[in-house]
Amino acid sequence: MTTKNTALDKELGLKDTLALAFGCMIGWGWVVLVGEWISVAGSMGAIGGFLAAGAILVVIGLLYAELAAAMPMAGGAQNYCMRAFGRWPAFFCSWALVLGYVSITVFEAVALPQVAEYFVGPLEQGYLWSVAGNDVYLTYGLMGAAGAVVIGLLNVRGVKTAALFQTLVTLVILAAGVMLFTGATFEGNTENLAPFFVDGVTGSVIAVMVMAPFLMGGFDVIPQAASEINLPAAKLGKLIVVAVVAGAAWYCAVILSVSLIFDGKGLAAANLPAVDAAGEAWGKIGWQVLIIGGLAGILTSWNGFLVGGSRAVYALAREGMLPAFFAQLHPKYRTPTNAIWTITALGCIGPFFGKQLLIWVSNAGSLGFVLAYLFVALSFIKLRKSEPDMPRPYKVPAGMVFGVIGLLGALGMTCLYLPGSNGALLWPNEWLIAGLWFAFGFAAFIYASKKSASERAENIKKPINTHADKRVNA
């Protein structure tokens, strides 16, 4: 189903697009979670986890690159799966990806007050309730909600505005990263890298690998915003692969830097290991720059995933798989306003559920990402077989080989979240989040599909006004 006024404007160039994807991939997680990665896996185990996940995601990125170049339309994975398998699988694939996007916007809304405490002091005023042992305060929730509204307003003002913001803030993150990396080079000690692995090579790698899809999701924002990217289709595809490689390299560099600066005791004592590591190397200035870099990471990830998530919801509505309400564009800025504000509203609610929500939402969102990657790999293989002559401005060499590798990699990563695996989603909280998300989505899909079919039937029944036609022709 199509609606009036649903064409997006092409306003993003090369730098805008790369900053959008890379900024998504390097959010707040590298600041707050690097100590956990090293503790559970060892220095080389943590790096190995990101290299293993990165290798799979590079292959997935190659598949995305070919498909995005062939179908450069808003919605990304939805379009590929629709062409390969039809409406139901396309909706499931895209809705799973939206779960990943929304989970990160909620994650950042919860994380923002945590970072703000380093600038303004404790925000524990106006006690509301406790969730899973974590107290929730009014000031904490209001700051997270306020951040969500600001990012929402920024996105409503236009994708070019959002992209400019993304580029500037990404430069701040890069400056913070350079300070951390150079500090580790001069002040680090290779003896601190021990232990290399905590639970054997395989166990250590898997322990971190299962976290990577949530942290490295972001390259798929490029195909989501394809209708607004003013680049040749072949270059669009290659940018996806560049973004994946850059993201994996970033996380490995952060892990190595922190491991060089802190031994086990120092790591355990660090509150925010990446920040404290920069402080060890550069003093107070290093600590301050890394805190600012962490805040910048929250903003780029939040902004980028709101762009991607809103475009995915917009594309579903445009095809009659969600209510047409979500396909409406702002009359001036040409942005999917209703989709933006709906995702923003979820971000406003998130901080009122406490810090534990960070873990629940991130794990459920990771499952959403890998399920979408699984369907993209399946779509790639199907279209290579069913439409071998489809125009492909960028074509992956030995495509079927990479298609199978990508499929097996995505399937293997999906299995990591199932019961019996070390990375299985927790029952009931994380499974409940995923279950309710898909239940709501399919209810909305059925409603929108029936309404779309009803409207088409009504249009068919309408009599043709031949007199009006005659007057027009006259």
Side-chain angles (χ1 to χ4, degrees):
M1 172 184 173
T2 58
T3 59
K4 294 181 180 179
N5 193 33
T6 59
L8 298 169
D9 293 334
K10 288 186 174 291
E11 296 191 290
L12 300 180
L14 177 64
K15 294 179 181 178
D16 300 323
T17 306
L18 187 56
L20 187 65
F22 184 67
C24 283
M25 298 177 73
I26 53 170
W28 172 242
W30 63 278
V31 176
V32 70
L33 297 176
V34 61
E36 180 182 348
W37 305 335
I38 298 169
S39 296
V40 302
S43 59
M44 295 299 107
I47 290 174
F50 275 98
L51 288 177
I56 294 173
L57 293 180
V58 164
V59 175
I60 298 295
L62 285 170
L63 309 188
Y64 259 108
E66 178 172 306
L67 294 169
M71 291 171 270
M73 301 175 287
Q78 170 199 323
N79 301 311
Y80 324 145
C81 204
M82 171 80 83
R83 188 155 176 169
F85 299 111
R87 289 173 64 82
W88 276 98
F91 176 80
F92 180 84
C93 173
S94 191
W95 195 242
L97 198 55
V98 175
L99 171 60
Y101 292 155
V102 170
S103 70
I104 292 181
T105 63
V106 173
F107 179 99
E108 306 301 3
V110 177
L112 179 63
Q114 291 182 275
V115 183
E117 289 183 322
Y118 286 90
F119 295 97
V120 301
L123 293 171
E124 299 176 347
Q125 297 181 26
Y127 174 80
L128 296 176
W129 45 69
S130 181
V131 178
N134 289 278
D135 293 336
V136 180
Y137 295 88
L138 180 62
T139 49
Y140 188 96
L142 289 177
M143 176 162 285
V149 171
V150 170
I151 297 295
L153 285 170
L154 181 71
N155 272 263
V156 168
R157 295 279 299 182
V159 71
K160 187 65 177 179
T161 302
L164 176 60
F165 172 83
Q166 188 84 350
T167 301
L168 294 175
V169 182
T170 298
L171 291 174
V172 175
I173 303 174
L174 291 174
V178 168
M179 176 166 279
L180 175 63
F181 306 152
T182 55
T185 300
F186 294 107
E187 300 295 330
N189 187 336
T190 55
E191 293 181 1
N192 293 337
L193 294 174
F196 290 161
F197 302 96
V198 171
D199 186 24
V201 175
T202 302
S204 298
V205 168
I206 289 177
V208 171
M209 184 180 176
V210 74
M211 307 177 194
F214 178 81
L215 295 156
M216 291 183 63
F219 65 90
D220 38 58
V221 169
I222 294 178
Q224 290 297 342
S227 290
E228 297 161 278
I229 298 174
N230 188 21
L231 291 172
K235 185 170 288 188
L236 178 69
K238 293 175 183 177
L239 271 181
I240 296 173
V241 179
V242 171
V244 176
V245 173
W250 175 272
Y251 281 108
C252 290
V254 169
I255 293 167
L256 181 61
S257 298
V258 174
S259 297
L260 284 169
I261 290 177
F262 284 133
D263 58 14
K265 291 182 179 179
L267 189 65
N271 186 25
L272 291 175
V275 173
D276 293 338
E280 284 287 319
W282 294 99
K284 185 177 181 180
I285 184 65
W287 187 91
Q288 292 173 333
V289 169
L290 260 290
I291 281 289
I292 294 172
L295 177 61
I298 288 178
L299 298 177
T300 57
S301 181
W302 202 341
N303 179 59
F305 279 108
L306 183 53
V307 171
S310 60
R311 271 58 178 181
V313 170
Y314 155 83
L316 287 169
R318 185 194 58 194
E319 294 297 331
M321 290 190 258
L322 284 178
F325 169 83
F326 294 110
Q328 294 177 12
L329 299 184
H330 192 283
K332 179 180 179 180
Y333 300 117
R334 313 293 296 160
T335 51
T337 310
N338 294 338
I340 289 171
W341 284 124
T342 300
I343 296 174
T344 296
L346 295 174
C348 290
I349 295 169
F352 291 95
F353 284 85
K355 298 176 183 178
Q356 182 62 34
L357 186 70
L358 288 173
I359 299 173
W360 297 342
V361 166
S362 63
N363 289 338
S366 290
L367 176 63
F369 278 120
V370 297
L371 285 173
Y373 300 157
L374 178 63
F375 272 79
V376 168
L378 287 168
S379 299
F380 178 92
I381 294 172
K382 173 68 163 51
L383 291 172
R384 271 294 184 105
K385 289 184 176 180
S386 63
E387 298 189 51
D389 297 324
M390 181 175 70
R392 292 173 169 88
Y394 174 78
K395 193 169 184 178
V396 179
M400 289 302 289
V401 173
F402 279 106
V404 172
I405 294 173
L407 175 61
L408 293 176
L411 183 61
M413 293 182 77
T414 302
C415 291
L416 295 177
Y417 299 92
L418 301 180
S421 169
N422 291 337
L425 296 188
L426 296 177
W427 177 264
N429 299 323
E430 292 169 2
W431 281 110
L432 187 62
I433 290 172
L436 289 175
W437 177 262
F438 284 104
F440 172 79
F442 278 112
F445 173 85
I446 293 169
Y447 168 81
S449 297
K450 286 183 177 179
K451 187 172 179 63
S452 177
S454 176
E455 289 177 353
R456 287 196 300 269
E458 286 296 322
N459 289 333
I460 292 172
K461 291 178 182 179
K462 288 180 180 178
I464 299 174
N465 190 339
T466 55
H467 296 293
D469 292 343
K470 289 177 181 179
R471 289 194 299 271
V472 171
N473 291 333

